[in-house]
């Protein structure tokens, strides 16, 4: 990174200003700083601090971008909770999910816009990027969980449903990829914590991501089958939801991806985490379905 006040910081301030206005508008629409919601209050405080830093011009670009990311996470969390509380209204929730997914992709877009010659993980840090991808994946998981129960909607919108599942699993896989699993040599005693780290489980959220991803693959195979739909990208209003609403995602093999994620989940829950309250019954049931011979 350059010196505070250098070209990178000036570029970040310039790119941030319109985004701070937009984020402030979202905050106001959600109840603003006067809301009693903890996350809105945190988001408001972070936004105020970020505006001050931009005006002062003394902070590193990385500091500004990290604060922006935290504000995005807090302010959108309130909106996500509203969607969940309202049970994802059929007529409006798809557009809202797309909108929130795009906003949660903005920090990475911002890093690229600022022409910082670093990977986003080196600017934002693994934890913040994991949060962004977890939130995008979990949001699509919750949306699909509701949508799959609306049989008439599902019949008419199966391509949209499949794309939402596909994007959601991609986000969760990406979330699981930022910290490489710990490589253990043969001399290391496989204590429980070391085994978890070697399997890429760094927190409860990592474990949940494996379960959610596996379950979404199960829904995909159950409702969409195994055939690939080449027209997915052009028929689907959420087709631009990946990576800042700009790129297309590769279609997954739901069967193989689901098996891989659920097997890791079961291995962790019945191994190092045995007796810690993690249930594997549903995961095993889905694994049985995913392991059935292909037609």
């Amino acid at each position: 990174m350059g010196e505070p006040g250098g070209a990178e910081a000036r570029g970040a301030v310039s790119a941030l200003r319109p985004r701070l206005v937009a984020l402030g508008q979202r905050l106001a629409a959600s109840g603003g700083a006067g809301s009693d919601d903890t996350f809105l209050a945190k988001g408001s405080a972070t936004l105020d601090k970020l505006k001050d830093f931009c005006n002062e011009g003394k902070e590193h670009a990385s500091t500004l971008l990290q604060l922006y990311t935290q504000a995005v996470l807090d302010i959108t969390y309130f909106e996500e909770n509203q969607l969940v509380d309202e049970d994802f209204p059929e007529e409006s929730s798809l557009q809202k999910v797309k909108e929130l997914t795009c906003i949660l992709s903005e920090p990475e877009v911002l890093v690229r816009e600022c022409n910082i010659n670093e990977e986003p993980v080196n600017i934002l840090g693994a934890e913040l990027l994991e949060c962004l991808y977890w939130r995008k994946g979990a949001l699509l998981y919750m949306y699909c969980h509701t949508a799959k129960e609306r049989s008439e909607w599902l019949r008419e919108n199966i391509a949209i449903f499949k794309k939402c599942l596909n994007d959601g699993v991609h986000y969760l896989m990406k979330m699981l990829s930022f910290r490489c699993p710990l490589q253990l040599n043969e001399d290391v005693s496989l204590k429980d914590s070391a085994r978890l780290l070697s399997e890429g489980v760094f927190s409860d959220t990592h474990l949940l991501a494996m379960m959610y991803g596996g379950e979404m693959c199960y829904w995909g195979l159950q409702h969409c089958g195994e055939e690939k739909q080449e027209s997915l990208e052009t028929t689907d209003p959420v087709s631009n939801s990946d990576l800042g609403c700009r790129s297309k995602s590769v279609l997954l093999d739901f069967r193989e991806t689901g098996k891989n994620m659920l097997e890791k989940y079961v291995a962790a829950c019945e191994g190092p985490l045995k007796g810690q309250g993690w249930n594997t019954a549903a995961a095993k049931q889905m694994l049985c379905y995913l392991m059935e011979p292909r037609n």
Side-chain angles (χ1 to χ4, degrees):
M1 299 299 301
E3 290 296 316
E8 288 177 353
R10 288 194 296 274
V13 168
S14 176
L16 271 169
R17 289 201 187 279
R19 287 175 167 91
L20 298 186
V21 171
L23 212 49
Q25 290 169 345
R26 299 195 78 84
L27 181 67
S30 297
S35 169
D36 59 1
D37 182 85
T38 304
F39 288 95
L40 281 186
K42 279 176 60 185
S44 177
T46 304
L47 208 53
D48 287 342
K49 182 191 290 188
L50 192 48
K51 287 174 184 174
D52 289 342
F53 282 169
C54 285
N55 290 333
E56 292 164 8
K58 295 179 181 177
E59 296 297 328
H60 282 293
S62 59
T63 302
L64 300 175
L65 298 182
Q66 287 167 16
L67 280 172
Y68 171 72
T69 302
Q70 193 58 61
V72 164
L73 286 166
D74 288 334
I75 292 168
T76 55
Y77 191 64
F78 174 82
E79 297 181 63
E80 286 178 35
N81 284 337
Q82 274 190 320
L83 271 180
V84 174
D85 291 344
E86 295 166 3
D87 200 26
F88 290 90
E90 187 171 333
E91 66 284 355
S92 61
S93 59
L94 180 62
Q95 183 57 36
K96 186 70 174 177
V97 166
K98 178 188 175 184
E99 187 182 312
L100 288 171
T101 302
C102 287
I103 295 164
L104 288 163
S105 298
E106 277 296 290
E108 279 188 282
V109 175
L110 192 53
V111 171
R112 292 197 294 272
E113 269 186 29
C114 293
N115 294 318
I116 298 172
N117 192 26
E118 291 272 4
E119 288 298 314
V121 70
N122 295 330
I123 303 299
L124 301 176
E127 281 193 31
L128 280 177
L129 274 175
E130 284 176 349
C131 284
L132 290 169
Y133 277 91
W134 162 251
R135 290 275 299 280
K136 289 190 284 187
L139 177 61
L140 281 168
Y141 170 86
M142 291 183 289
Y143 173 72
C144 291
H145 189 281
T146 302
K148 71 182 173 62
E149 302 301 328
R150 295 170 174 161
S151 54
E152 186 178 340
W153 181 92
L154 196 59
R155 278 196 304 273
E156 296 173 358
N157 297 281
I158 195 67
I160 293 174
F161 181 69
K162 183 172 184 177
K163 186 64 166 61
C164 287
L165 289 173
N166 196 72
D167 284 356
V169 176
H170 270 295
Y171 291 141
L172 294 173
M173 290 169 67
K174 183 80 171 175
M175 176 258 180
L176 292 165
S177 73
F178 286 112
R179 282 186 269 187
C180 294
L182 180 69
Q183 299 298 313
L184 301 176
N185 61 46
E186 294 176 2
D187 298 328
V188 175
S189 173
L190 283 180
K191 295 185 182 298
D192 288 350
S193 57
R195 279 187 60 192
L196 287 171
L197 295 177
S198 72
E199 290 163 12
V201 180
F202 296 90
S203 68
D204 287 357
T205 310
H206 287 78
L207 203 57
L208 272 179
M210 292 173 184
M211 180 63 187
Y212 280 11
E215 193 167 3
M216 291 171 87
C217 289
Y218 168 74
W219 296 338
L221 200 62
Q222 196 177 41
H223 294 287
C224 309
E226 307 207 44
E227 69 281 358
K228 302 216 170 184
Q229 298 182 26
E230 294 177 7
S231 62
L232 217 61
E233 308 297 347
T234 56
T235 59
D236 171 16
V238 293
S239 64
N240 292 325
S241 64
D242 308 87
L243 297 178
C245 315
R246 294 183 184 188
S247 74
K248 300 174 182 178
S249 62
V250 177
L251 289 176
L252 292 166
D253 180 333
F254 284 135
R255 187 183 293 276
E256 289 304 316
T257 305
K259 277 165 55 178
N260 185 43
M261 296 183 92
L262 289 172
E263 282 172 349
K264 285 184 177 179
Y265 172 82
V266 171
C269 293
E270 296 191 345
L273 293 173
K274 190 171 184 179
Q276 299 298 311
W278 291 91
N279 193 310
T280 59
K284 285 180 168 179
Q285 189 176 1
M286 288 185 278
L287 269 173
C288 286
Y289 181 86
L290 293 171
M291 288 176 171
E292 287 175 2
R294 296 172 188 259
N295 294 331

